[in-house]
Amino acid sequence: MSTNRKRIGIVGARGHTGAELIRLIAAHPVLELAFVSSRELDGQRVDAHVSEYHGELRYSAPAHEDLPKLGADVVILALPNGKAEVCVAAFDAAGADPLIIDLSADYRFDQRWYYGLPELTRDKWRGERRISNPGCYATAMQLSIAPLKDLLAAPPVCFGVSGYSGAGTTPSDKNDPDKLRDNLMPYALTGHMHEKEASFRLGVPVEFMPHVAPHFRGLTVTTNLYLTRSLKREEVLARFRHAYENEKLVSVTDEAPWVSRIAHRHHAEIGGFALSADGKRVVIVATLDNLLKGAATQAMQNINRAIGVDEYTAIPVGRG
């Protein structure tokens, strides 16, 4: 196990995920923050916003062409979709080759980048230093479908509900607590980016209908799967337990998990496993915290593996 200290920088650290990343890094024995960029928080102390961090570091707002000069061994891009390319180009132009983890969708369809959903792609990592972190919904959908992918008779249909932290910090209807109160807000009912992502990565078409609810964090996906042959519930459970038996951040439960129980937890829960009378249709429920296993925790899994430490370093894996 490597014990050399690694300097890590976060580009776009103002958002909810940025704060979670700082908390994880603050507890990490090998990583130390080199910089955290945020135009809105430029000049403010990091510890004034994230109490778990102890140090003198302040938020900064470097131009993208200056990022390679900041000396980070690892760079996390926590930017909106469409904003990562200029940062990556800056490192390429400077001849710098830090480990780069992109949290946006920009490189999830680029085969030159490693797609870091460890529970499903761990064996495909070939030492790439460019890692695309999966989307939160796409993570839940793929974990729900993969163990039965060989038996699908039709495209999986996924109904998703997330807390409004998934809509980011830029004000909109989807993160306005007043408009969400006593409400369930549908959006992007066809062609959602995570629908495309899950379909691309699984190699099967996936249909996805997302909604935003009044709670802050955590998402739930209910997936309807039609099968080519009848299965017993015990067979379905066995497939999922076998697929994830050694995974510390995926919990297979008998009952359908509740989204209220996943907030601030670092693992995904998959359960329910309700079968139709003929055994050819199964309904599966998955929950995860969109800011953790759906973003920051998954990024930390990928970073740990790439820098040569235990995958779960600094990640609280207890399910309590």
Side-chain angles (χ1 to χ4, degrees):
M1 171 173 164
S2 171
T3 55
N4 295 330
R5 300 288 289 178
K6 300 286 186 183
R7 289 168 51 80
I8 184 167
I10 306 173
V11 183
R14 179 177 76 99
H16 303 306
T17 299
E20 296 295 351
L21 286 164
I22 293 168
R23 291 185 183 100
L24 287 169
I25 293 165
H28 202 287
V30 174
L31 297 174
E32 58 184 359
L33 277 173
F35 68 88
V36 285
S37 83
S38 167
R39 286 175 299 180
E40 292 85 351
L41 302 178
D42 186 16
Q44 299 181 38
R45 290 177 63 101
V46 174
D47 59 7
H49 293 270
V50 183
S51 60
E52 290 85 353
Y53 175 76
H54 303 288
E56 302 297 317
L57 192 66
R58 292 177 181 267
Y59 292 94
S60 58
H64 56 81
E65 60 267 22
D66 292 330
L67 293 172
K69 304 172 188 175
L70 300 179
D73 303 298
V74 182
V75 176
I76 301 173
L77 303 179
L79 296 164
N81 292 342
K83 303 290 187 181
E85 185 177 5
V86 292
C87 297
V88 174
F91 286 102
D92 289 343
D97 188 30
L99 175 69
I100 298 178
I101 291 85
D102 179 36
L103 270 60
S104 78
D106 292 8
Y107 293 99
R108 292 175 189 159
F109 302 87
D110 189 331
Q111 299 285 22
R112 296 169 297 178
W113 284 57
Y114 170 68
Y115 182 75
L117 205 176
E119 290 79 12
L120 299 182
T121 67
R122 185 178 289 112
D123 295 340
K124 297 178 182 177
W125 186 58
R126 298 293 180 265
E128 293 93 339
R129 296 181 60 75
R130 305 287 170 89
I131 298 174
S132 177
N133 217 55
C136 53
Y137 268 132
T139 295
M141 288 190 280
Q142 291 176 80
L143 291 174
S144 300
I145 296 166
L148 290 171
K149 192 176 79 165
D150 62 313
L151 292 179
L152 295 178
V157 178
C158 304
F159 178 88
V161 180
S162 78
Y164 61 86
S165 61
T169 52
T170 302
S172 72
D173 287 352
K174 290 186 291 183
N175 58 18
D176 183 332
D178 289 331
K179 290 182 178 176
L180 286 167
R181 187 176 297 118
D182 301 321
N183 193 13
L184 191 63
M185 193 178 291
Y187 70 101
L189 294 174
T190 62
H192 188 285
M193 181 64 74
H194 292 188
E195 175 182 276
K196 297 175 184 176
E197 178 185 342
S199 300
F200 179 73
R201 289 294 165 181
L202 287 169
V204 298
V206 176
E207 298 170 0
F208 174 49
M209 299 161 291
H211 300 69
V212 181
H215 65 278
F216 179 67
R217 61 196 298 158
L219 63 80
T220 181
V221 175
T222 301
T223 298
N224 190 65
L225 300 172
Y226 288 99
L227 308 176
T228 55
R229 64 180 175 85
S230 297
L231 290 182
K232 293 183 170 59
R233 189 171 189 272
E234 296 73 27
E235 294 176 283
V236 175
L237 262 170
R239 277 182 172 242
F240 277 80
R241 287 181 171 148
H242 174 73
Y244 302 125
E245 61 186 349
N246 297 316
E247 300 298 344
K248 295 182 180 180
L249 296 182
V250 178
S251 175
V252 177
T253 65
D254 192 60
E255 299 295 319
W258 291 4
V259 72
S260 62
R261 295 173 180 165
I262 205 67
H264 301 285
R265 312 297 292 280
H266 293 266
H267 66 286
E269 293 190 354
I270 305 174
F273 307 110
L275 268 77
S276 60
D278 66 0
K280 285 192 169 184
R281 173 186 168 225
V282 59
V283 181
I284 294 165
V285 180
T287 62
L288 55 79
D289 188 317
N290 52 296
L291 302 179
L292 295 176
K293 181 56 178 163
T297 303
Q298 194 136 264
M300 188 57 68
Q301 284 180 270
N302 287 315
I303 292 166
N304 284 335
R305 296 181 62 237
I307 66 173
V309 301
D310 182 85
E311 182 176 319
Y312 306 104
T313 301
I315 299 172
V317 296
R319 301 191 176 108

